Amino acid sequence: MMWPYYGGGWGWFWMAGMMVVFWGAVIFLAVWAITTVTGRSAPRNDAVDTLRKRLAAGEITKDEFETTKRLIES
């Protein structure tokens, strides 16, 4: 049995639109899953981490830490 034709000529438009939405959702979910699993959601600043370790070890003073941190982050 043949299905009756509905859509008034706009069926192709809605189908194309839904394909874009579908593939956009698939790509978004894939990127989200990869960043969640690998832990790369935000870039790390290794230089500031090193500075914190040096401050904790007593190698630099708090003033040196703040000055160097401002220079790194600018």
Side-chain angles (χ1 to χ4, degrees):
M1 176 175 170
M2 296 289 292
W3 292 96
Y5 178 74
Y6 295 109
W10 288 96
W12 63 271
F13 177 76
W14 290 109
M15 185 176 77
M18 289 299 112
M19 289 297 289
V20 169
V21 169
F22 171 77
W23 285 111
V26 168
I27 292 169
F28 172 78
L29 288 174
V31 169
W32 174 79
I34 290 169
T35 56
T36 301
V37 170
T38 61
R40 295 184 180 180
S41 58
R44 293 183 48 211
N45 194 342
D46 292 333
V48 175
D49 290 341
T50 303
L51 274 178
R52 285 190 181 110
K53 289 176 186 176
R54 289 185 65 198
L55 178 64
E59 295 176 12
I60 60 174
T61 65
K62 183 156 176 81
D63 291 334
E64 290 173 325
F65 172 79
E66 293 297 331
T67 304
T68 310
K69 182 180 173 188
R70 270 188 255 117
L71 288 172
I72 291 171
E73 292 178 345
S74 62

